Amino acid sequence: MKRLIAGLGAAALMAAGCGGGTPSGSGSDTVKVGLITKTETNPFFVKMKEGATAAAKAQGAELMSAAGKFDGDNASQITAIENMVAAGVKGILITPSDTKAIVPAIKKARDAGVLVIALDTPTEPQDATDALFATDNFKAGELIGQYAKAAMAGKPAKIATLDLAPGITVGKLRHDGFLKGFGVAEGDPSIVCSQDTQGDQSKGQTAMENCLQKAPDINLVYTINEPAALGAHTALKAKGIDKDVLVVSVDGGCTGTKAVKSGQIAATSQQYPLKMAESGVKAVTDFAKGGKKATGYTDTGVTLITDKPVAGVAAKDTAFGLANCWG
């Protein structure tokens, strides 16, 4: 029966378009590490998988990987957890697509003795996993909020926030951090439009078009990530006002960092998925070898990237950003 369940699970993984095992070790004593990302096409998760693969090889471990078919695909992530537990992984690294709905499946894995570490996105509650290795997403938002406040130099702001989606912690943390960094509270009259984008470029463009219909005098745009920022820029350019509107974002991907260099995005907060994955794989192999569980939150760092620095806000230029970007 167990073999049947495992077989069905493997079939489900393939149906979900998920990657199978990526063996880096061999033999019955090889530590198995699972990596489950939101998708396997987003460059952020591609870089995360690269980091996990390299770290597994260095540690003599075997990496099994899987991903959802789209951002928000909770069902495929649950299937992946079940398959990996059945396959005997010692630990699972996961970027949860649905931070609440995934919790029962994670609990089953932990009850089975598997170390579970969230990468990038915390679960709700955060202690549903043993540990979290991630960017301080609130700080990432706060940095671009501080930057925007200084860059506006006292000019009255008409703000559009292009957000992620309801109920996703990473989106809320960045949004709230931006508002704190800019010095306004939710509901402030300077926030004239808020739209969800799912972090998608085309939806970011549509969201910006909708906001401009509502408030044509928008002069500051917060975006959840760089694809949304580039979508917003397309909409602003179509109206001929892209030079008049300050766009700030989060991620630090190579495309996004190039957009900072070209001036499409004023500043971005760069995060480091490679480091998240490397740290996660090492934590699992340490657990397998010594029994010590990773716990709590590990900040994997964030850096403000811009070629137009402002006084009082620490930043690196795009040369640094491009040397450390992903995608």
Side-chain angles (χ1 to χ4, degrees), residues 26-68:
S26 60
S28 58
D29 294 333
T30 300
V31 176
K32 294 181 180 177
V33 182
L35 173 69
I36 304 171
T37 53
K38 294 179 183 178
T39 72
E40 58 180 13
T41 53
N42 184 316
F44 184 86
F45 300 122
V46 171
K47 179 59 71 174
M48 185 175 280
K49 185 176 177 180
E50 286 178 12
T53 301
K57 184 176 181 180
Q59 297 287 332
E62 176 182 341
L63 182 71
M64 301 182 67
S65 63

PDB file of all heavy atoms in Angstrom, residues 26-68:
ATOM      1  N   SER A  26      24.440   9.300  -3.381  1.00  0.00           N
ATOM      2  CA  SER A  26      23.957   7.970  -3.703  1.00  0.00           C
ATOM      3  C   SER A  26      24.128   7.098  -2.473  1.00  0.00           C
ATOM      4  O   SER A  26      24.850   7.427  -1.541  1.00  0.00           O
ATOM      5  CB  SER A  26      24.724   7.380  -4.889  1.00  0.00           C
ATOM      6  OG  SER A  26      26.099   7.296  -4.576  1.00  0.00           O
ATOM      7  N   GLY A  27      23.402   5.960  -2.481  1.00  0.00           N
ATOM      8  CA  GLY A  27      23.528   5.024  -1.377  1.00  0.00           C
ATOM      9  C   GLY A  27      22.453   5.232  -0.341  1.00  0.00           C
ATOM     10  O   GLY A  27      21.856   6.307  -0.232  1.00  0.00           O
ATOM     11  N   SER A  28      22.189   4.205   0.461  1.00  0.00           N
ATOM     12  CA  SER A  28      21.090   4.248   1.413  1.00  0.00           C
ATOM     13  C   SER A  28      21.336   5.242   2.543  1.00  0.00           C
ATOM     14  O   SER A  28      20.397   5.664   3.205  1.00  0.00           O
ATOM     15  CB  SER A  28      20.853   2.852   1.988  1.00  0.00           C
ATOM     16  OG  SER A  28      22.041   2.381   2.618  1.00  0.00           O
ATOM     17  N   ASP A  29      22.599   5.588   2.806  1.00  0.00           N
ATOM     18  CA  ASP A  29      22.891   6.514   3.893  1.00  0.00           C
ATOM     19  C   ASP A  29      22.879   7.979   3.450  1.00  0.00           C
ATOM     20  O   ASP A  29      23.119   8.870   4.253  1.00  0.00           O
ATOM     21  CB  ASP A  29      24.260   6.190   4.501  1.00  0.00           C
ATOM     22  CG  ASP A  29      24.259   4.823   5.181  1.00  0.00           C
ATOM     23  OD1 ASP A  29      23.173   4.386   5.627  1.00  0.00           O
ATOM     24  OD2 ASP A  29      25.331   4.203   5.236  1.00  0.00           O
ATOM     25  N   THR A  30      22.657   8.198   2.172  1.00  0.00           N
ATOM     26  CA  THR A  30      22.655   9.573   1.664  1.00  0.00           C
ATOM     27  C   THR A  30      21.480  10.351   2.238  1.00  0.00           C
ATOM     28  O   THR A  30      20.351   9.880   2.241  1.00  0.00           O
ATOM     29  CB  THR A  30      22.553   9.565   0.123  1.00  0.00           C
ATOM     30  OG1 THR A  30      23.666   8.863  -0.405  1.00  0.00           O
ATOM     31  CG2 THR A  30      22.550  10.988  -0.418  1.00  0.00           C
ATOM     32  N   VAL A  31      21.758  11.533   2.728  1.00  0.00           N
ATOM     33  CA  VAL A  31      20.702  12.395   3.268  1.00  0.00           C
ATOM     34  C   VAL A  31      19.863  12.946   2.115  1.00  0.00           C
ATOM     35  O   VAL A  31      20.407  13.473   1.147  1.00  0.00           O
ATOM     36  CB  VAL A  31      21.319  13.560   4.069  1.00  0.00           C
ATOM     37  CG1 VAL A  31      20.223  14.508   4.554  1.00  0.00           C
ATOM     38  CG2 VAL A  31      22.141  13.042   5.233  1.00  0.00           C
ATOM     39  N   LYS A  32      18.546  12.813   2.241  1.00  0.00           N
ATOM     40  CA  LYS A  32      17.649  13.345   1.223  1.00  0.00           C
ATOM     41  C   LYS A  32      17.052  14.663   1.712  1.00  0.00           C
ATOM     42  O   LYS A  32      16.548  14.745   2.830  1.00  0.00           O
ATOM     43  CB  LYS A  32      16.528  12.354   0.914  1.00  0.00           C
ATOM     44  CG  LYS A  32      17.007  11.060   0.253  1.00  0.00           C
ATOM     45  CD  LYS A  32      15.843  10.141  -0.034  1.00  0.00           C
ATOM     46  CE  LYS A  32      16.327   8.848  -0.701  1.00  0.00           C
ATOM     47  NZ  LYS A  32      15.214   7.902  -0.939  1.00  0.00           N
ATOM     48  N   VAL A  33      17.127  15.662   0.845  1.00  0.00           N
ATOM     49  CA  VAL A  33      16.614  16.993   1.155  1.00  0.00           C
ATOM     50  C   VAL A  33      15.559  17.358   0.122  1.00  0.00           C
ATOM     51  O   VAL A  33      15.789  17.219  -1.081  1.00  0.00           O
ATOM     52  CB  VAL A  33      17.741  18.051   1.126  1.00  0.00           C
ATOM     53  CG1 VAL A  33      17.197  19.421   1.512  1.00  0.00           C
ATOM     54  CG2 VAL A  33      18.894  17.643   2.028  1.00  0.00           C
ATOM     55  N   GLY A  34      14.399  17.823   0.585  1.00  0.00           N
ATOM     56  CA  GLY A  34      13.341  18.233  -0.338  1.00  0.00           C
ATOM     57  C   GLY A  34      13.315  19.749  -0.503  1.00  0.00           C
ATOM     58  O   GLY A  34      13.522  20.483   0.466  1.00  0.00           O
ATOM     59  N   LEU A  35      13.078  20.200  -1.725  1.00  0.00           N
ATOM     60  CA  LEU A  35      12.904  21.622  -2.003  1.00  0.00           C
ATOM     61  C   LEU A  35      11.592  21.798  -2.763  1.00  0.00           C
ATOM     62  O   LEU A  35      11.417  21.211  -3.839  1.00  0.00           O
ATOM     63  CB  LEU A  35      14.061  22.169  -2.846  1.00  0.00           C
ATOM     64  CG  LEU A  35      13.883  23.617  -3.338  1.00  0.00           C
ATOM     65  CD1 LEU A  35      13.962  24.610  -2.169  1.00  0.00           C
ATOM     66  CD2 LEU A  35      14.927  23.971  -4.403  1.00  0.00           C
ATOM     67  N   ILE A  36      10.684  22.588  -2.211  1.00  0.00           N
ATOM     68  CA  ILE A  36       9.391  22.831  -2.856  1.00  0.00           C
ATOM     69  C   ILE A  36       9.224  24.339  -3.023  1.00  0.00           C
ATOM     70  O   ILE A  36       9.137  25.082  -2.042  1.00  0.00           O
ATOM     71  CB  ILE A  36       8.225  22.283  -2.008  1.00  0.00           C
ATOM     72  CG1 ILE A  36       8.422  20.791  -1.718  1.00  0.00           C
ATOM     73  CG2 ILE A  36       6.897  22.520  -2.727  1.00  0.00           C
ATOM     74  CD1 ILE A  36       7.432  20.233  -0.703  1.00  0.00           C
ATOM     75  N   THR A  37       9.195  24.792  -4.260  1.00  0.00           N
ATOM     76  CA  THR A  37       9.047  26.219  -4.543  1.00  0.00           C
ATOM     77  C   THR A  37       7.639  26.503  -5.069  1.00  0.00           C
ATOM     78  O   THR A  37       6.883  25.595  -5.389  1.00  0.00           O
ATOM     79  CB  THR A  37      10.098  26.683  -5.561  1.00  0.00           C
ATOM     80  OG1 THR A  37      10.032  25.842  -6.717  1.00  0.00           O
ATOM     81  CG2 THR A  37      11.491  26.620  -4.970  1.00  0.00           C
ATOM     82  N   LYS A  38       7.334  27.792  -5.154  1.00  0.00           N
ATOM     83  CA  LYS A  38       6.000  28.170  -5.633  1.00  0.00           C
ATOM     84  C   LYS A  38       5.817  27.802  -7.102  1.00  0.00           C
ATOM     85  O   LYS A  38       4.759  27.343  -7.514  1.00  0.00           O
ATOM     86  CB  LYS A  38       5.777  29.671  -5.427  1.00  0.00           C
ATOM     87  CG  LYS A  38       5.729  30.079  -3.957  1.00  0.00           C
ATOM     88  CD  LYS A  38       5.524  31.585  -3.801  1.00  0.00           C
ATOM     89  CE  LYS A  38       5.558  31.976  -2.326  1.00  0.00           C
ATOM     90  NZ  LYS A  38       5.404  33.426  -2.107  1.00  0.00           N
ATOM     91  N   THR A  39       6.837  28.078  -7.896  1.00  0.00           N
ATOM     92  CA  THR A  39       6.852  27.685  -9.299  1.00  0.00           C
ATOM     93  C   THR A  39       8.284  27.308  -9.652  1.00  0.00           C
ATOM     94  O   THR A  39       9.198  27.526  -8.868  1.00  0.00           O
ATOM     95  CB  THR A  39       6.412  28.833 -10.249  1.00  0.00           C
ATOM     96  OG1 THR A  39       7.447  29.817 -10.298  1.00  0.00           O
ATOM     97  CG2 THR A  39       5.115  29.474  -9.786  1.00  0.00           C
ATOM     98  N   GLU A  40       8.478  26.756 -10.829  1.00  0.00           N
ATOM     99  CA  GLU A  40       9.847  26.489 -11.253  1.00  0.00           C
ATOM    100  C   GLU A  40      10.227  27.346 -12.451  1.00  0.00           C
ATOM    101  O   GLU A  40      11.224  27.084 -13.104  1.00  0.00           O
ATOM    102  CB  GLU A  40      10.064  25.015 -11.563  1.00  0.00           C
ATOM    103  CG  GLU A  40       9.167  24.430 -12.610  1.00  0.00           C
ATOM    104  CD  GLU A  40       9.460  22.956 -12.844  1.00  0.00           C
ATOM    105  OE1 GLU A  40      10.173  22.334 -12.033  1.00  0.00           O
ATOM    106  OE2 GLU A  40       8.964  22.430 -13.843  1.00  0.00           O
ATOM    107  N   THR A  41       9.427  28.395 -12.736  1.00  0.00           N
ATOM    108  CA  THR A  41       9.738  29.293 -13.854  1.00  0.00           C
ATOM    109  C   THR A  41      10.192  30.673 -13.388  1.00  0.00           C
ATOM    110  O   THR A  41      10.980  31.328 -14.072  1.00  0.00           O
ATOM    111  CB  THR A  41       8.510  29.459 -14.763  1.00  0.00           C
ATOM    112  OG1 THR A  41       7.386  29.867 -13.968  1.00  0.00           O
ATOM    113  CG2 THR A  41       8.172  28.142 -15.444  1.00  0.00           C
ATOM    114  N   ASN A  42       9.695  31.129 -12.234  1.00  0.00           N
ATOM    115  CA  ASN A  42      10.128  32.428 -11.707  1.00  0.00           C
ATOM    116  C   ASN A  42      11.641  32.389 -11.470  1.00  0.00           C
ATOM    117  O   ASN A  42      12.148  31.502 -10.795  1.00  0.00           O
ATOM    118  CB  ASN A  42       9.380  32.695 -10.389  1.00  0.00           C
ATOM    119  CG  ASN A  42       9.685  34.070  -9.814  1.00  0.00           C
ATOM    120  OD1 ASN A  42      10.839  34.505  -9.783  1.00  0.00           O
ATOM    121  ND2 ASN A  42       8.663  34.745  -9.344  1.00  0.00           N
ATOM    122  N   PRO A  43      12.385  33.355 -12.026  1.00  0.00           N
ATOM    123  CA  PRO A  43      13.853  33.347 -11.858  1.00  0.00           C
ATOM    124  C   PRO A  43      14.307  33.288 -10.404  1.00  0.00           C
ATOM    125  O   PRO A  43      15.371  32.749 -10.099  1.00  0.00           O
ATOM    126  CB  PRO A  43      14.278  34.669 -12.518  1.00  0.00           C
ATOM    127  CG  PRO A  43      13.213  34.959 -13.504  1.00  0.00           C
ATOM    128  CD  PRO A  43      11.936  34.470 -12.890  1.00  0.00           C
ATOM    129  N   PHE A  44      13.498  33.858  -9.516  1.00  0.00           N
ATOM    130  CA  PHE A  44      13.847  33.815  -8.086  1.00  0.00           C
ATOM    131  C   PHE A  44      13.946  32.369  -7.609  1.00  0.00           C
ATOM    132  O   PHE A  44      14.890  31.991  -6.907  1.00  0.00           O
ATOM    133  CB  PHE A  44      12.775  34.562  -7.286  1.00  0.00           C
ATOM    134  CG  PHE A  44      13.052  34.675  -5.815  1.00  0.00           C
ATOM    135  CD1 PHE A  44      13.824  35.710  -5.322  1.00  0.00           C
ATOM    136  CD2 PHE A  44      12.529  33.752  -4.920  1.00  0.00           C
ATOM    137  CE1 PHE A  44      14.073  35.827  -3.961  1.00  0.00           C
ATOM    138  CE2 PHE A  44      12.765  33.867  -3.565  1.00  0.00           C
ATOM    139  CZ  PHE A  44      13.544  34.907  -3.082  1.00  0.00           C
ATOM    140  N   PHE A  45      12.986  31.558  -8.022  1.00  0.00           N
ATOM    141  CA  PHE A  45      12.985  30.162  -7.586  1.00  0.00           C
ATOM    142  C   PHE A  45      13.966  29.311  -8.392  1.00  0.00           C
ATOM    143  O   PHE A  45      14.456  28.298  -7.900  1.00  0.00           O
ATOM    144  CB  PHE A  45      11.563  29.595  -7.652  1.00  0.00           C
ATOM    145  CG  PHE A  45      10.600  30.351  -6.776  1.00  0.00           C
ATOM    146  CD1 PHE A  45       9.470  30.944  -7.302  1.00  0.00           C
ATOM    147  CD2 PHE A  45      10.853  30.504  -5.420  1.00  0.00           C
ATOM    148  CE1 PHE A  45       8.604  31.665  -6.500  1.00  0.00           C
ATOM    149  CE2 PHE A  45      10.000  31.223  -4.601  1.00  0.00           C
ATOM    150  CZ  PHE A  45       8.864  31.812  -5.143  1.00  0.00           C
ATOM    151  N   VAL A  46      14.229  29.723  -9.617  1.00  0.00           N
ATOM    152  CA  VAL A  46      15.268  29.048 -10.402  1.00  0.00           C
ATOM    153  C   VAL A  46      16.616  29.196  -9.693  1.00  0.00           C
ATOM    154  O   VAL A  46      17.375  28.233  -9.542  1.00  0.00           O
ATOM    155  CB  VAL A  46      15.338  29.632 -11.836  1.00  0.00           C
ATOM    156  CG1 VAL A  46      16.557  29.088 -12.578  1.00  0.00           C
ATOM    157  CG2 VAL A  46      14.063  29.311 -12.601  1.00  0.00           C
ATOM    158  N   LYS A  47      16.896  30.418  -9.233  1.00  0.00           N
ATOM    159  CA  LYS A  47      18.158  30.660  -8.518  1.00  0.00           C
ATOM    160  C   LYS A  47      18.166  29.913  -7.178  1.00  0.00           C
ATOM    161  O   LYS A  47      19.195  29.353  -6.770  1.00  0.00           O
ATOM    162  CB  LYS A  47      18.344  32.161  -8.281  1.00  0.00           C
ATOM    163  CG  LYS A  47      19.618  32.533  -7.531  1.00  0.00           C
ATOM    164  CD  LYS A  47      20.872  32.070  -8.267  1.00  0.00           C
ATOM    165  CE  LYS A  47      21.148  32.841  -9.523  1.00  0.00           C
ATOM    166  NZ  LYS A  47      22.434  32.491 -10.152  1.00  0.00           N
ATOM    167  N   MET A  48      17.023  29.857  -6.532  1.00  0.00           N
ATOM    168  CA  MET A  48      16.938  29.118  -5.265  1.00  0.00           C
ATOM    169  C   MET A  48      17.268  27.640  -5.490  1.00  0.00           C
ATOM    170  O   MET A  48      18.010  27.025  -4.713  1.00  0.00           O
ATOM    171  CB  MET A  48      15.528  29.266  -4.693  1.00  0.00           C
ATOM    172  CG  MET A  48      15.326  28.654  -3.320  1.00  0.00           C
ATOM    173  SD  MET A  48      13.665  29.016  -2.695  1.00  0.00           S
ATOM    174  CE  MET A  48      13.908  30.699  -2.087  1.00  0.00           C
ATOM    175  N   LYS A  49      16.740  27.077  -6.569  1.00  0.00           N
ATOM    176  CA  LYS A  49      17.005  25.670  -6.875  1.00  0.00           C
ATOM    177  C   LYS A  49      18.478  25.462  -7.219  1.00  0.00           C
ATOM    178  O   LYS A  49      19.082  24.452  -6.836  1.00  0.00           O
ATOM    179  CB  LYS A  49      16.111  25.197  -8.027  1.00  0.00           C
ATOM    180  CG  LYS A  49      16.241  23.696  -8.324  1.00  0.00           C
ATOM    181  CD  LYS A  49      15.263  23.270  -9.405  1.00  0.00           C
ATOM    182  CE  LYS A  49      15.436  21.794  -9.750  1.00  0.00           C
ATOM    183  NZ  LYS A  49      14.482  21.374 -10.809  1.00  0.00           N
ATOM    184  N   GLU A  50      19.063  26.429  -7.935  1.00  0.00           N
ATOM    185  CA  GLU A  50      20.498  26.336  -8.240  1.00  0.00           C
ATOM    186  C   GLU A  50      21.316  26.280  -6.956  1.00  0.00           C
ATOM    187  O   GLU A  50      22.258  25.493  -6.825  1.00  0.00           O
ATOM    188  CB  GLU A  50      20.944  27.538  -9.080  1.00  0.00           C
ATOM    189  CG  GLU A  50      20.501  27.523 -10.521  1.00  0.00           C
ATOM    190  CD  GLU A  50      20.932  28.772 -11.269  1.00  0.00           C
ATOM    191  OE1 GLU A  50      21.768  29.545 -10.728  1.00  0.00           O
ATOM    192  OE2 GLU A  50      20.419  28.987 -12.376  1.00  0.00           O
ATOM    193  N   GLY A  51      20.945  27.136  -6.012  1.00  0.00           N
ATOM    194  CA  GLY A  51      21.667  27.169  -4.738  1.00  0.00           C
ATOM    195  C   GLY A  51      21.516  25.879  -3.967  1.00  0.00           C
ATOM    196  O   GLY A  51      22.482  25.357  -3.390  1.00  0.00           O
ATOM    197  N   ALA A  52      20.298  25.335  -3.968  1.00  0.00           N
ATOM    198  CA  ALA A  52      20.048  24.083  -3.252  1.00  0.00           C
ATOM    199  C   ALA A  52      20.792  22.928  -3.906  1.00  0.00           C
ATOM    200  O   ALA A  52      21.347  22.054  -3.224  1.00  0.00           O
ATOM    201  CB  ALA A  52      18.550  23.804  -3.216  1.00  0.00           C
ATOM    202  N   THR A  53      20.804  22.915  -5.234  1.00  0.00           N
ATOM    203  CA  THR A  53      21.485  21.846  -5.956  1.00  0.00           C
ATOM    204  C   THR A  53      22.985  21.862  -5.661  1.00  0.00           C
ATOM    205  O   THR A  53      23.592  20.817  -5.381  1.00  0.00           O
ATOM    206  CB  THR A  53      21.250  21.998  -7.472  1.00  0.00           C
ATOM    207  OG1 THR A  53      19.845  21.949  -7.728  1.00  0.00           O
ATOM    208  CG2 THR A  53      21.942  20.897  -8.251  1.00  0.00           C
ATOM    209  N   ALA A  54      23.576  23.048  -5.713  1.00  0.00           N
ATOM    210  CA  ALA A  54      25.009  23.162  -5.444  1.00  0.00           C
ATOM    211  C   ALA A  54      25.332  22.796  -3.999  1.00  0.00           C
ATOM    212  O   ALA A  54      26.322  22.096  -3.719  1.00  0.00           O
ATOM    213  CB  ALA A  54      25.474  24.591  -5.745  1.00  0.00           C
ATOM    214  N   ALA A  55      24.477  23.253  -3.079  1.00  0.00           N
ATOM    215  CA  ALA A  55      24.724  22.963  -1.659  1.00  0.00           C
ATOM    216  C   ALA A  55      24.577  21.470  -1.374  1.00  0.00           C
ATOM    217  O   ALA A  55      25.354  20.898  -0.601  1.00  0.00           O
ATOM    218  CB  ALA A  55      23.759  23.766  -0.791  1.00  0.00           C
ATOM    219  N   ALA A  56      23.578  20.830  -1.999  1.00  0.00           N
ATOM    220  CA  ALA A  56      23.388  19.392  -1.798  1.00  0.00           C
ATOM    221  C   ALA A  56      24.606  18.622  -2.307  1.00  0.00           C
ATOM    222  O   ALA A  56      25.084  17.683  -1.654  1.00  0.00           O
ATOM    223  CB  ALA A  56      22.123  18.929  -2.506  1.00  0.00           C
ATOM    224  N   LYS A  57      25.121  19.037  -3.443  1.00  0.00           N
ATOM    225  CA  LYS A  57      26.303  18.380  -3.994  1.00  0.00           C
ATOM    226  C   LYS A  57      27.491  18.534  -3.046  1.00  0.00           C
ATOM    227  O   LYS A  57      28.233  17.576  -2.784  1.00  0.00           O
ATOM    228  CB  LYS A  57      26.642  18.973  -5.367  1.00  0.00           C
ATOM    229  CG  LYS A  57      27.800  18.277  -6.067  1.00  0.00           C
ATOM    230  CD  LYS A  57      28.018  18.867  -7.460  1.00  0.00           C
ATOM    231  CE  LYS A  57      29.169  18.139  -8.167  1.00  0.00           C
ATOM    232  NZ  LYS A  57      29.393  18.707  -9.527  1.00  0.00           N
ATOM    233  N   ALA A  58      27.654  19.739  -2.531  1.00  0.00           N
ATOM    234  CA  ALA A  58      28.770  20.006  -1.612  1.00  0.00           C
ATOM    235  C   ALA A  58      28.647  19.209  -0.321  1.00  0.00           C
ATOM    236  O   ALA A  58      29.651  18.815   0.275  1.00  0.00           O
ATOM    237  CB  ALA A  58      28.823  21.501  -1.296  1.00  0.00           C
ATOM    238  N   GLN A  59      27.403  18.965   0.090  1.00  0.00           N
ATOM    239  CA  GLN A  59      27.171  18.255   1.353  1.00  0.00           C
ATOM    240  C   GLN A  59      27.054  16.745   1.155  1.00  0.00           C
ATOM    241  O   GLN A  59      26.863  16.002   2.118  1.00  0.00           O
ATOM    242  CB  GLN A  59      25.875  18.773   2.000  1.00  0.00           C
ATOM    243  CG  GLN A  59      25.896  20.238   2.391  1.00  0.00           C
ATOM    244  CD  GLN A  59      26.763  20.512   3.611  1.00  0.00           C
ATOM    245  OE1 GLN A  59      26.934  19.662   4.461  1.00  0.00           O
ATOM    246  NE2 GLN A  59      27.331  21.706   3.678  1.00  0.00           N
ATOM    247  N   GLY A  60      27.108  16.293  -0.111  1.00  0.00           N
ATOM    248  CA  GLY A  60      26.949  14.864  -0.394  1.00  0.00           C
ATOM    249  C   GLY A  60      25.533  14.381  -0.173  1.00  0.00           C
ATOM    250  O   GLY A  60      25.294  13.205   0.124  1.00  0.00           O
ATOM    251  N   ALA A  61      24.572  15.282  -0.308  1.00  0.00           N
ATOM    252  CA  ALA A  61      23.162  14.946  -0.096  1.00  0.00           C
ATOM    253  C   ALA A  61      22.446  14.772  -1.436  1.00  0.00           C
ATOM    254  O   ALA A  61      22.981  15.108  -2.495  1.00  0.00           O
ATOM    255  CB  ALA A  61      22.488  16.048   0.710  1.00  0.00           C
ATOM    256  N   GLU A  62      21.238  14.232  -1.364  1.00  0.00           N
ATOM    257  CA  GLU A  62      20.406  14.074  -2.559  1.00  0.00           C
ATOM    258  C   GLU A  62      19.271  15.089  -2.484  1.00  0.00           C
ATOM    259  O   GLU A  62      18.552  15.141  -1.479  1.00  0.00           O
ATOM    260  CB  GLU A  62      19.822  12.667  -2.638  1.00  0.00           C
ATOM    261  CG  GLU A  62      18.863  12.481  -3.816  1.00  0.00           C
ATOM    262  CD  GLU A  62      18.236  11.092  -3.856  1.00  0.00           C
ATOM    263  OE1 GLU A  62      18.792  10.168  -3.226  1.00  0.00           O
ATOM    264  OE2 GLU A  62      17.188  10.941  -4.501  1.00  0.00           O
ATOM    265  N   LEU A  63      19.124  15.877  -3.521  1.00  0.00           N
ATOM    266  CA  LEU A  63      18.062  16.884  -3.549  1.00  0.00           C
ATOM    267  C   LEU A  63      16.882  16.381  -4.353  1.00  0.00           C
ATOM    268  O   LEU A  63      17.029  15.938  -5.491  1.00  0.00           O
ATOM    269  CB  LEU A  63      18.572  18.194  -4.172  1.00  0.00           C
ATOM    270  CG  LEU A  63      17.540  19.330  -4.197  1.00  0.00           C
ATOM    271  CD1 LEU A  63      17.295  19.868  -2.785  1.00  0.00           C
ATOM    272  CD2 LEU A  63      17.995  20.449  -5.124  1.00  0.00           C
ATOM    273  N   MET A  64      15.691  16.443  -3.740  1.00  0.00           N
ATOM    274  CA  MET A  64      14.447  16.195  -4.466  1.00  0.00           C
ATOM    275  C   MET A  64      13.743  17.542  -4.594  1.00  0.00           C
ATOM    276  O   MET A  64      13.629  18.270  -3.613  1.00  0.00           O
ATOM    277  CB  MET A  64      13.554  15.220  -3.698  1.00  0.00           C
ATOM    278  CG  MET A  64      14.182  13.863  -3.430  1.00  0.00           C
ATOM    279  SD  MET A  64      13.024  12.760  -2.576  1.00  0.00           S
ATOM    280  CE  MET A  64      11.789  12.515  -3.854  1.00  0.00           C
ATOM    281  N   SER A  65      13.275  17.882  -5.777  1.00  0.00           N
ATOM    282  CA  SER A  65      12.647  19.185  -5.957  1.00  0.00           C
ATOM    283  C   SER A  65      11.266  19.050  -6.569  1.00  0.00           C
ATOM    284  O   SER A  65      10.981  18.099  -7.307  1.00  0.00           O
ATOM    285  CB  SER A  65      13.518  20.082  -6.836  1.00  0.00           C
ATOM    286  OG  SER A  65      13.661  19.539  -8.120  1.00  0.00           O
ATOM    287  N   ALA A  66      10.423  20.002  -6.251  1.00  0.00           N
ATOM    288  CA  ALA A  66       9.068  20.052  -6.803  1.00  0.00           C
ATOM    289  C   ALA A  66       8.615  21.504  -6.764  1.00  0.00           C
ATOM    290  O   ALA A  66       9.212  22.342  -6.072  1.00  0.00           O
ATOM    291  CB  ALA A  66       8.124  19.175  -5.995  1.00  0.00           C
ATOM    292  N   ALA A  67       7.543  21.795  -7.498  1.00  0.00           N
ATOM    293  CA  ALA A  67       7.030  23.163  -7.530  1.00  0.00           C
ATOM    294  C   ALA A  67       5.566  23.137  -7.916  1.00  0.00           C
ATOM    295  O   ALA A  67       5.065  22.177  -8.500  1.00  0.00           O
ATOM    296  CB  ALA A  67       7.817  24.010  -8.526  1.00  0.00           C
ATOM    297  N   GLY A  68       4.865  24.211  -7.599  1.00  0.00           N
ATOM    298  CA  GLY A  68       3.496  24.358  -8.047  1.00  0.00           C
ATOM    299  C   GLY A  68       3.449  24.688  -9.530  1.00  0.00           C
ATOM    300  O   GLY A  68       4.440  25.079 -10.128  1.00  0.00           O
TER     301      GLY A  68
END
